[in-house]
Amino acid sequence: MADLLNDKALEASLQSSMGLHELEEVDPSLADGHSIFYEREVPFELRSAQGNEEPREVGALEAIRVKILALGDEGAFTGLRVELTSESNLFFHYVHELDIAGFKKMQQGQNLMVDFAEYPSVMVRNLDNCIKQPHSHLAVLVMKRDGSARLDFIQNMEYKFVELLSIDLKASGEDVVREQISYRYNALKNRMALMQARLADVNALVKIKNPSLLLQLKKASLSSLP
């Protein structure tokens, strides 16, 4: 009877830990009411511009995490923010912010045939195309020394390159970068602590129900070490 109670207690602990989110730090990107519309790593070509001259050489290809954050209710967004970060460079943080008035200027300048409500979906479609069709769809980020940047979505039509969409970005200030690094560090540390707690629960459960299996698992993990 005691063993049965212990089994149930361990299973309950394991199931509750699987859905535990309390350890996660509050994402500073959501502090002003934004909600996450899209978050994914996308291959970007990174280029550095010298002054006002456009870079002519092909840049380095890197996986950039793109986070699209929307303000307001879905279908009636009042603002949009795009954040670019990199796992290989914690200090890399660029932001594109746009409201309805800003979008109208962009719409006229680039002859866009969509309204602001459709703009987030257009961004997602371009980003996903860069992932699924990297040979024909490119995301090129041109960065300038003054902290400004431009992200161009380009389609390779075989006989010419066509610019589909272009957005302006700005490198975040030191305080924002520090806050983002702190969040990512604490979130990673908390996830590690959560996984260690889950592993301890699994070990305890397997030890009670199938001790020989636990020995096999430990031997397998030791043999896999270099």
Side-chain angles (χ1 to χ4, degrees), residues 9-24:
L10 282 168
E11 288 175 353
S13 173
L14 183 58
Q15 289 170 1
S16 64
S17 69
M18 290 297 181
L20 189 60
H21 298 289
E22 293 82 11
L23 290 176
E24 289 291 346

Side-chain angles (χ1 to χ4, degrees), residues 117-156:
E118 298 172 284
Y119 180 52
S121 297
V122 170
M123 284 283 299
V124 169
R125 187 159 61 248
N126 277 283
L127 292 164
D128 284 345
N129 283 339
C130 292
I131 297 172
K132 298 173 184 177
Q133 306 172 56
H135 298 295
S136 60
H137 288 78
L138 313 171
V140 180
L141 181 65
V142 180
M143 299 167 288
K144 296 183 179 181
R145 289 189 174 184
D146 63 359
S148 63
R150 188 185 72 248
L151 176 60
D152 297 327
F153 291 101
I154 301 170
Q155 184 175 0
N156 182 356

Side-chain angles (χ1 to χ4, degrees), residues 142-203:
V142 180
M143 299 167 288
K144 296 183 179 181
R145 289 189 174 184
D146 63 359
S148 63
R150 188 185 72 248
L151 176 60
D152 297 327
F153 291 101
I154 301 170
Q155 184 175 0
N156 182 356
M157 304 290 289
E158 293 186 0
Y159 55 90
K160 70 180 295 186
F161 289 100
V162 178
E163 185 177 294
L164 304 175
L165 180 68
S166 181
I167 68 173
D168 294 323
L169 301 103
K170 191 75 177 177
S172 298
E174 186 177 332
D175 290 343
V176 173
V177 172
R178 187 186 299 113
E179 186 178 36
Q180 289 286 338
I181 292 175
S182 176
Y183 159 70
R184 291 163 71 183
Y185 170 80
N186 287 325
L188 180 60
K189 185 175 67 173
N190 288 338
R191 280 195 292 269
M192 287 180 63
L194 179 59
M195 292 306 297
Q196 288 173 347
R198 289 178 180 174
L199 181 59
D201 285 342
V202 170
N203 281 339

Side-chain angles (χ1 to χ4, degrees), residues 21-133:
H21 298 289
E22 293 82 11
L23 290 176
E24 289 291 346
E25 292 288 313
V26 177
D27 188 344
S29 299
L30 308 178
D32 55 358
H34 283 81
S35 58
I36 296 177
F37 184 84
Y38 177 92
E39 185 173 12
R40 199 171 180 185
E41 279 196 342
V42 182
F44 275 31
E45 182 185 322
L46 304 183
R47 301 182 184 180
S48 297
Q50 303 295 330
N52 293 323
E53 293 185 8
E54 289 291 321
R56 297 180 180 179
E57 297 182 1
V58 175
L61 196 64
E62 186 173 327
I64 299 298
R65 178 159 290 277
V66 182
K67 185 187 291 185
I68 299 178
L69 302 126
L71 191 63
D73 298 327
E74 188 169 353
F77 295 133
T78 58
L80 193 77
R81 184 165 74 237
V82 179
E83 295 182 356
L84 306 181
T85 57
S86 169
E87 290 300 320
S88 63
N89 180 3
L90 291 177
F91 295 90
F92 181 99
H93 195 276
Y94 282 85
V95 174
H96 161 74
E97 288 198 80
L98 204 64
D99 56 14
I100 297 175
F103 175 77
K104 287 182 178 180
K105 294 180 181 178
M106 178 180 173
Q107 186 182 42
Q108 293 172 357
Q110 299 187 41
N111 296 318
L112 301 179
M113 305 298 291
V114 296
D115 56 26
F116 187 66
E118 298 172 284
Y119 180 52
S121 297
V122 170
M123 284 283 299
V124 169
R125 187 159 61 248
N126 277 283
L127 292 164
D128 284 345
N129 283 339
C130 292
I131 297 172
K132 298 173 184 177
Q133 306 172 56

